[in-house]
Amino acid sequence: FTQPFLKEIRDHKLFHYFQKSQSIFESKIMIKHKNVYYFDFTDLFTPNNYHYYSDVSHLNRFGAKEFSPVLYRTFLKAFKNSNY
């Protein structure tokens, strides 16, 4: 089994359909449970940075180095604004 390229997944019409329904579902969970967070990092998947992935869902060491600061800043900001 060969997984499709990220662009084939991201640009597929079903992806957008499920992304919207998933977003609504996650919003409902976050309203009900204040300690649940959702972070959308879809914008990190671009045709220009596919070389940062070892497959369609796993960063390689270059991707980890590149995206770790982005993830760190996002989580730090979220948790500074929380009650934890």
Side-chain angles (χ1 to χ4, degrees):
F1 175 71
T2 303
Q3 294 182 339
F5 294 110
L6 291 171
K7 182 177 182 347
E8 292 173 327
I9 295 171
R10 191 191 70 226
D11 293 345
H12 196 278
K13 62 183 177 182
L14 286 177
F15 176 80
H16 297 288
Y17 169 78
F18 286 110
Q19 185 180 31
K20 183 176 180 180
S21 63
Q22 183 69 19
S23 179
I24 293 168
F25 173 73
E26 290 161 351
S27 295
K28 289 178 182 178
I29 291 175
M30 289 185 296
I31 290 169
K32 185 175 179 180
H33 304 281
K34 300 298 182 191
N35 63 338
V36 175
Y37 297 89
Y38 172 72
F39 303 99
D40 183 4
F41 293 110
T42 308
D43 57 337
L44 295 180
F45 301 102
T46 67
N48 298 330
N49 65 18
Y50 287 165
H51 61 279
Y52 289 132
Y53 294 87
S54 57
D55 60 36
V56 297
S57 57
H58 296 93
L59 291 170
N60 60 29
R61 63 186 170 121
F62 304 109
K65 184 176 181 180
E66 183 72 22
F67 296 134
S68 289
V70 174
L71 302 174
Y72 174 76
R73 286 191 303 270
T74 302
F75 297 144
L76 185 65
K77 181 179 177 183
F79 294 121
K80 277 187 176 181
N81 295 330
S82 73
N83 295 327
Y84 295 99

